[in-house]
Amino acid sequence: MYYPFSWLKNLLRIGGFYVIVILIGLYFDALAIAIAFGSTWLLGFYSWHMYRFNRWIWHSKKMTPPKVPGFWEHVYEGVYYIQRRNRRKRKELTRMVKRFREGSEALPDATVVVDSNACIVWCNRLARIELGLRWPQDSGRRVDNLIRHPKFIEYFHSGKYDYPVEVPSPSNVQKIFEYRIMPYGEDHLLLIARDVTRLTQLEQMRKDFVANVSHELRTPLTVLNGYLEMLPNTENVPPAFLKKALGEMRSQSERMQNLVEELLVLSRIEASSERVFEKPVNVPQMLSAIQVEANTLNKDKGHQIDFDIDASLKVYGIETELRSAFSNLIFNAINYTPSPGKIVVTWNRQDGHAHFSVKDNGEGIPEKHLNRLTERFYRVDKARSRKTGGSGLGLSIVKHVLTHHNSKLEITSEIGVGSEFSFSFSSELSVQNPSTGKLEKTN
């Protein structure tokens, strides 16, 4: 606490001290000696307190000042008051910085602060994850040395930040980021990177959807329009031809309906943000239901279908997506294997991974087609695909489902021997330990 009259009091004390010294000197008739001795004592007294004050300021771990008399008490109290005030300010500043950092960490975008020399001053956690920055190792490094895409460098040095720029992520080229730069503080820039991969994918999906649908629907619509032009003159049309026309129109309309439904399924899978690590899927039960459907589809084919299923092997995932993947592979084997054939469906554990495969003894697929089988509307034999009612989307659906579940479709085939479509899920997706599988056969 500051006392307004502390200095005056101390001057009075010093004056009183010298009055006493002078009186003693006069009494003993040694005024000069008394004054010299008193001054020396006073100098030593203040030197000692200066030493203690210096020790307290620079070396003492205690913030509380020591007990001292007189003038020095006010000096210590003044310094102590300033220290407490600065400490409160530091605490307030620390709380403000903490709140700022917590708010920045909660931002849904990667955020980086750079100075006038393009050196990184600070970045949030999302920037470290998405942009591959390391903190504090990258503090002081130039941001254009870490994000080296030419389009970003041109944008960064142009100084024109009215519009953002879209550039692939430096840590994952499959992701597209929208970079936006804004002036921040004094000679600082705030770089915000937003993940627009989903928006880019949705836009591309929209374009692909329009292009693919317009192409794939052209043939069935042409067939329907051709027959419909004949219907007004049905009196001159033979009954057999009319029956064939109605059957063909129904077949083409069903093909269009299946095509639209599969396109919607594919779009829904590509746009899905559902987490795959939360819900367990009873795959054996799912495969049992698919087996019933396969038997119905197999009535006219007459294939021998063997299901080798581990009844205890369950995984985490999205049930609707996994059902689409499993059923597409099984139904494709039934549709494209010449009658009568043999198909083996396997679901078991291999090397700690949940493994699924569909193996047939069909005609096989030429090697040049294998890498393109998962493309949309890609067909090895277009005439045969139209005959079986295939849309060319089944394996594309399987590919996107497996990508969502961190897996990949493996295809092996040999002409005249057969084909095998398989994939595996990592051990982290397994729900429980394996047990003896169960072999089921249907003919």
Side-chain angles (χ1 to χ4, degrees):
M1 182 177 179
Y2 175 71
Y3 298 93
F5 301 104
S6 60
W7 286 96
L8 179 60
K9 288 180 180 179
N10 280 282
L11 288 175
L12 291 175
R13 286 176 182 175
I14 294 173
F17 171 78
Y18 271 105
V19 169
I20 295 173
V21 168
I22 290 172
L23 290 175
I24 293 174
L26 293 174
Y27 179 79
F28 289 102
D29 196 19
L31 180 62
I33 296 174
I35 292 176
F37 179 81
S39 298
T40 302
W41 184 89
L42 190 63
L43 180 62
F45 175 81
Y46 278 104
S47 297
W48 166 248
H49 281 291
M50 284 285 292
Y51 171 77
R52 291 185 64 189
F53 180 75
N54 182 72
R55 292 279 301 178
W56 177 66
I57 289 291
W58 294 104
H59 304 288
S60 178
K61 297 181 180 180
K62 294 181 180 180
M63 187 176 177
T64 305
K67 296 292 184 180
V68 292
F71 165 79
W72 287 101
E73 179 182 4
H74 303 302
V75 173
Y76 278 100
E77 288 294 335
V79 173
Y80 181 50
Y81 170 77
I82 294 173
Q83 286 181 332
R84 285 184 300 172
R85 184 177 61 185
N86 291 340
R87 191 176 183 181
R88 286 195 298 268
K89 289 182 177 180
R90 286 196 300 270
K91 286 183 177 180
E92 292 176 1
L93 181 60
T94 301
R95 285 194 293 266
M96 291 178 61
V97 172
K98 184 179 179 181
R99 287 196 296 268
F100 168 77
R101 289 187 174 180
E102 289 175 349
S104 300
E105 296 293 351
L107 289 174
D109 304 322
T111 306
V112 183
V113 178
V114 298
D115 61 17
S116 57
N117 296 320
C119 296
I120 297 175
V121 177
W122 177 85
C123 65
N124 66 354
R125 180 172 178 269
L126 202 58
R128 299 192 290 274
I129 294 174
E130 299 290 7
L131 303 182
L133 302 182
R134 297 175 300 168
W135 189 261
Q137 291 89 336
D138 288 335
S139 177
R141 296 188 61 183
R142 291 182 61 90
V143 69
D144 50 356
N145 288 338
L146 300 174
I147 306 176
R148 299 183 178 182
H149 195 281
K151 194 174 180 181
F152 172 80
I153 294 177
E154 180 183 358
Y155 172 71
F156 183 81
H157 292 286
S158 68
K160 299 177 181 179
Y161 307 133
D162 296 333
Y163 300 98
V165 63
E166 292 185 3
V167 177
S169 167
S171 60
N172 186 350
V173 295
Q174 301 298 324
K175 289 187 175 182
I176 304 298
F177 278 88
E178 178 189 82
Y179 292 90
R180 185 181 294 273
I181 298 177
M182 293 165 285
Y184 176 77
E186 297 181 2
D187 299 327
H188 283 69
L189 296 175
L190 184 65
L191 170 65
I192 296 178
R194 174 171 298 176
D195 188 351
V196 294
T197 308
R198 181 63 53 81
L199 297 176
T200 305
Q201 288 178 343
L202 290 175
E203 178 63 19
Q204 188 61 42
M205 286 163 54
R206 183 188 66 81
K207 293 179 180 178
D208 291 344
F209 184 86
V210 173
N212 293 332
V213 168
S214 62
H215 174 75
E216 291 297 323
L217 295 183
R218 185 176 301 150
T219 299
L221 286 174
T222 301
V223 174
L224 287 173
N225 288 331
Y227 284 123
L228 288 173
E229 289 177 357
M230 300 179 184
L231 289 180
N233 302 317
T234 53
E235 63 275 4
N236 298 324
V237 177
F241 180 81
L242 183 60
K243 182 179 180 180
K244 178 184 177 182
L246 293 174
E248 185 67 21
M249 284 192 291
R250 180 175 181 178
S251 173
Q252 294 296 335
S253 64
E254 289 177 351
R255 180 187 171 194
M256 286 191 294
Q257 182 179 357
N258 293 334
L259 175 64
V260 171
E261 289 176 355
E262 290 194 346
L263 278 170
L264 292 175
V265 169
L266 183 58
S267 299
R268 185 168 60 250
I269 292 171
E270 289 179 330
S272 174
S273 58
E274 190 174 352
R275 295 169 63 89
V276 301
F277 303 102
E278 296 178 348
K279 297 180 181 179
V281 179
N282 191 336
V283 176
Q285 182 179 350
M286 178 193 298
L287 289 174
S288 178
I290 295 176
Q291 182 181 357
V292 175
E293 298 174 10
N295 291 336
T296 302
L297 182 63
N298 188 45
K299 285 182 179 179
D300 296 332
K301 297 287 186 177
H303 300 311
Q304 177 187 340
I305 308 177
D306 297 341
F307 279 81
D308 183 6
I309 308 301
D310 185 340
S312 66
L313 183 54
K314 303 174 184 178
V315 296
Y316 289 98
I318 303 173
E319 185 171 354
T320 55
E321 294 187 7
L322 292 179
R323 183 181 178 86
S324 295
F326 290 133
S327 59
N328 266 297
L329 293 180
I330 295 173
F331 296 164
N332 277 356
I334 296 174
N335 287 328
Y336 293 105
T337 301
S339 303
K342 182 177 180 181
I343 300 171
V344 178
V345 180
T346 305
W347 171 250
N348 57 19
R349 189 180 296 269
Q350 294 184 7
D351 300 326
H353 296 79
H355 181 77
F356 176 80
S357 71
V358 178
K359 189 174 183 179
D360 63 63
N361 63 346
E363 299 175 352
I365 305 169
E367 185 177 358
K368 64 180 182 179
H369 296 292
L370 295 182
N371 292 332
R372 301 192 61 190
L373 285 178
T374 56
E375 295 180 10
R376 294 186 184 190
F377 302 106
Y378 185 82
R379 297 182 176 91
V380 176
D381 187 342
K382 296 184 178 180
R384 188 179 176 191
S385 295
R386 285 194 294 269
K387 184 178 179 181
T388 58
S391 63
L393 292 172
L395 292 182
S396 183
I397 291 174
V398 174
K399 172 190 173 182
H400 285 84
V401 169
L402 297 181
T403 300
H404 197 190
H405 289 75
N406 295 329
S407 184
K408 181 181 179 182
L409 181 63
E410 301 289 344
I411 306 174
T412 58
S413 185
E414 185 177 349
I415 300 297
V417 177
S419 305
E420 181 178 4
F421 295 78
S422 63
F423 56 84
S424 297
F425 295 124
S426 64
S427 57
E428 287 78 9
L429 288 180
S430 298
V431 175
Q432 60 184 13
N433 294 327
S435 62
T436 305
K438 182 180 179 181
L439 180 64
E440 299 178 4
K441 294 185 178 181
T442 60
N443 294 307

